[in-house]
Amino acid sequence: MKYKELIAKMTLEEKASLMSGKDFWQSQDIERLGISSIFFADGPHGIRRQAVAADKLGLNEGNPATCYPTAATVANSWNAELGEKVGEYLGEEAIAQKVNVLLGPGVNMKRNPLCGRNFEYFSEDPYLAGKMAASYIRGIQSQGIAACVKHFAANNQEERRMSIDTIVDERTLREIYLTAFEIAVKEGQTKSIMSSYNKLNGTYTNENLHLMQDILRGEWNYKGTVITDWGGSNDRIAGLIAGNELEMPTTAGETDAEIVEAIKSGKIKEEVLDECVDRLLDLIFTTEKVYKKPQSEFDIERHHRVSQKVAEESIVLLKNEGNILPLRFGKKVAVIGDFAQDARYQGAGSSIVNPTILDHTLYCFEESGIVSIGYEPGFERYGKKSQKLIDDACALAEKADVILLYLGLDEATEAEGLDRHSMKIPENQIELLDAIYEVNKDIVLILSCGSAVEMPWIDKVRGVLHGYLGGQAGARAILRVLSGDVNPSGKLAETYPLHYEDTPSYRNFPGGEASVEYREGMYIGYRYYDTANVNVLFPFGYGLSYTTFEYSDLQVNKDGVKFKITNSGKIAGMEIAQLYVGCKSDEIFRPKKELKGFDKIFINAGESKTVYIPFDDKAFRYFNVKTNQWEIEEAEYTIMIGASSIDIRLVDTIFVEGTGAPIPYDKKLLPSYYSGLAHNVSVEEFETLMGRKVPVSTWDRTKPLGYNDTIAQCQYAKGLIARMVYHLILFSYWFLRKIGKRNAANIIMMSIYNLPFRGIARLTGGLVNMPMLDGILMIVNGNTFKGLNHVFKERRKMLKISNAKLNS
């Protein structure tokens, strides 16, 4: 241990006190030993340090900070160097705000396009997500503070996220849902990791010994700190044994006392606590060093320009019929759509950033050189229909040469804690598009949203430019692409299916009441669509440019691939070359192709450049469930170089020697997985893949409600008060949506409806403790008066202890 002498000076109570927060955003300090508190702040795409009331959870506005494009946006740049630059600037701003640990990046897979937090995650592909995350982490930590990669692991939906049990087979877990974390740990050297809320195969992630000890600490040799998601601790002792150092936020000493008692009773050894304290001390001491130097404010304008550069490189041109873009000089443009006036530039939830500057389309036209003849909102942002808004927009559209139509998803649709209900753009926006199409067919659609949407209307527009969520400078960046000042170079980091029903997880999202089964296995995103030959709207890795690129001269050897790209167009541009690998053997089921490398290259018009992409340790491996380790199958492998997952330009083969591991599967028993048609797997076949029975996915309505049951389950509680509270919550949600207060309605669902009862104690900063929660559960389960008496008795006891501490 690094801090053995210091730990020896601590009392048992002091050591235990370090294992939970001082308040909602700070770790505990021990002044007599020179151990300071460190500050945590949300921040996957900008620093969110709350300006006031730091003892309240996440609902107050943050100090002004640069709002960079979200991870889903930057992933479309496929530029790891750019990601590292974003990280460096995030680190600079964190230091300016005295933040020690930045809670990000998020690397969970986009298993399903409806996950409400997809805007915060990079990709459906673990290799791309991992490489981008590692670059962010290197940038953040180059400034002396810590990144905190999240949410570990298999947290791929928001609905019931604090109680859902993710059921996934070991190979899929390793290859799809852990690979990005592995890259973040090994290549990014992240100093901290946030455990997720959910269970994984029956055990909460921060208590899961297989996940936390066998894999994270054992196989990956992780030496850093594990921090719970806020309110994500279930059994504090089980978490400590698993190596979960820090529980956040504060529990007002309640779980510290549990740790002390567990050690005194012999339930756990003090050495386990000492090791956890040692790792946390390392996080504290290594991140506080930077604050011993004189601090300076960050350059707001320079950071804003960097945000714009990142947005420009992440914008994706999806359609450009007749080369309608870039806009010709002198064309009269009508700007229509509420998102043009009030930019949609970030997601909602704990990641909301209070921007230092905010560009809006209507204020940036003069410098863009685009001639605007006027603006109309065209639709009401949150879905209310208005024929007058449509009529006014059509009147303007008739006078224009080209329509710039700004559509997308609103802030209340893409939000932490809630999944989307569909992949559709709101109906009032589509009605606007249909009406404009009748008066002017030269429509360029600018899309603003952080996740995939259906586009059955795409034949009615000549151009589609997807800005995703481009941060505070995104509006100006889009205009620079429209005008031709910037040649678009982004490519999709996720597939856009034709219909939501085409997605492989469609039948198993968001799962049952108690669990979600990942029956599709490893076949998510392009791995499924390409293998099962399902047509998509836009494939993974797709994006257009204002120039053209030709690929040639592929050379493959045991170390990697080399090939040539020529810019055959008339203007300079950047191309993203993608390396895919497919195994020609059918002994072990695999996707048709998997991304194993990529590079982004700037090439002048008429110029050729040689590109080299090396093979790494992930190029040919698969996880063998019989040997319980990574193996290589001896076989011929197809090496594919593509401009997208389906636009393969160069192909060759290479023979790779294997590790001689036994074949882990009986092909006859797993037909869906061997064919790749894994969109409708039976429970029997899934159980064969799992190697065990899957748990019942419905709530047990015969048992009394307990700590890990959710408030939503009050619908069948024995207590009349509990059932009344349940219906009151539902009514409040309906009423708030009815009067247009959708954000407030979302908070009810996120913070109350799907909250486990233990969250009442874990997220109230000591206002409610676990003994008081026992009384609440008595009321819920029908013992109303006994429960009330218990609550008041425990409340008085808690206040008495608290007052005694204050007076001592």
Side-chain angles (χ1 to χ4, degrees), residues 480-495:
R480 282 173 53 79
V481 172
L482 290 170
S483 69
D485 289 341
V486 170
N487 187 354
S489 62
K491 294 196 176 188
L492 293 175
E494 60 187 316
T495 307

Side-chain angles (χ1 to χ4, degrees), residues 330-623:
K331 288 278 185 183
K332 294 184 295 182
V333 168
V335 181
I336 297 172
D338 182 66
F339 295 123
Q341 182 175 30
D342 188 5
R344 174 81 206 288
Y345 60 97
Q346 65 175 328
S350 62
S351 67
I352 289 180
V353 178
N354 181 14
T356 54
I357 301 169
L358 184 56
D359 289 338
H360 289 287
T361 302
L362 301 182
Y363 307 142
C364 300
F365 266 102
E366 193 171 329
E367 66 187 68
S368 73
I370 299 170
V371 179
S372 170
I373 63 167
Y375 161 76
E376 287 292 342
F379 62 88
E380 197 276 333
R381 194 179 194 88
Y382 293 104
K384 186 178 177 182
K385 295 187 178 183
S386 169
Q387 189 59 47
K388 183 179 186 309
L389 289 177
I390 291 176
D391 292 343
D392 291 347
C394 288
L396 178 64
E398 286 182 296
K399 303 172 189 172
D401 297 322
V402 177
I403 314 300
L404 295 183
L405 181 59
Y406 284 74
L407 304 183
L409 300 177
D410 61 68
E411 293 82 351
T413 298
E414 293 182 289
E416 178 184 352
L418 297 162
D419 296 319
R420 288 193 289 154
H421 297 299
S422 78
M423 283 185 66
K424 301 181 188 305
I425 294 286
E427 191 176 337
N428 65 335
Q429 296 184 36
I430 304 309
E431 289 177 359
L432 170 67
L433 169 59
D434 291 341
I436 290 174
Y437 180 74
E438 294 301 319
V439 299
N440 191 331
K441 292 179 171 51
D442 288 329
I443 303 169
V444 174
L445 176 70
I446 295 91
L447 198 55
S448 298
C449 53
S451 46
V453 293
E454 292 176 350
M455 302 185 196
W457 34 261
I458 196 166
D459 289 340
K460 293 185 176 179
V461 298
R462 291 184 59 195
V464 179
L465 195 68
H466 201 337
Y468 265 72
L469 300 178
Q472 64 183 50
R476 179 179 269 110
I478 286 169
L479 286 174
R480 282 173 53 79
V481 172
L482 290 170
S483 69
D485 289 341
V486 170
N487 187 354
S489 62
K491 294 196 176 188
L492 293 175
E494 60 187 316
T495 307
Y496 276 55
L498 285 165
H499 312 285
Y500 175 59
E501 291 77 11
D502 295 335
T503 59
S505 58
Y506 164 68
R507 290 176 174 81
N508 296 286
F509 182 92
E513 293 171 332
S515 64
V516 55
E517 296 168 8
Y518 286 24
R519 292 196 193 182
E520 71 282 355
M522 65 180 62
Y523 295 102
I524 72 166
Y526 73 91
R527 284 171 166 78
Y528 166 70
Y529 300 116
D530 290 1
T531 307
N533 295 315
V534 175
N535 289 330
V536 298
L537 180 63
F538 295 116
F540 176 79
Y542 173 86
L544 301 174
S545 170
Y546 294 153
T547 190
T548 53
F549 299 96
E550 294 178 356
Y551 290 63
S552 61
D553 302 340
L554 175 62
Q555 299 172 47
V556 181
N557 61 35
K558 64 182 179 61
D559 298 316
V561 298
K562 191 178 351 180
F563 53 96
K564 188 184 292 183
I565 301 181
T566 301
N567 183 338
S568 51
K570 296 180 179 178
I571 62 170
M574 287 186 279
E575 173 67 339
I576 299 163
Q578 301 156 41
L579 163 65
Y580 295 91
V581 173
C583 184
K584 299 184 81 171
S585 166
D586 63 356
E587 290 297 315
I588 299 166
F589 66 81
R590 300 172 188 255
K592 186 176 182 179
K593 65 174 78 76
E594 295 183 278
L595 182 74
K596 298 297 181 181
F598 58 91
D599 197 7
K600 189 167 191 176
I601 316 100
F602 175 84
I603 311 176
N604 284 311
E607 182 185 15
S608 296
K609 283 191 176 178
T610 298
V611 181
Y612 176 70
I613 302 177
F615 296 134
D616 62 15
D617 64 326
K618 296 164 189 67
F620 304 104
R621 73 178 191 176
Y622 76 97
F623 192 82

Side-chain angles (χ1 to χ4, degrees), residues 234-267:
N234 168 50
D235 183 324
R236 187 64 191 101
I237 306 308
L240 200 67
I241 291 169
N244 167 206
E245 285 79 22
L246 184 58
E247 174 188 16
M248 289 298 288
T250 181
T251 61
E254 186 173 15
T255 56
D256 305 345
E258 288 179 19
I259 293 170
V260 171
E261 177 57 34
I263 289 171
K264 286 181 176 178
S265 67
K267 189 174 181 180

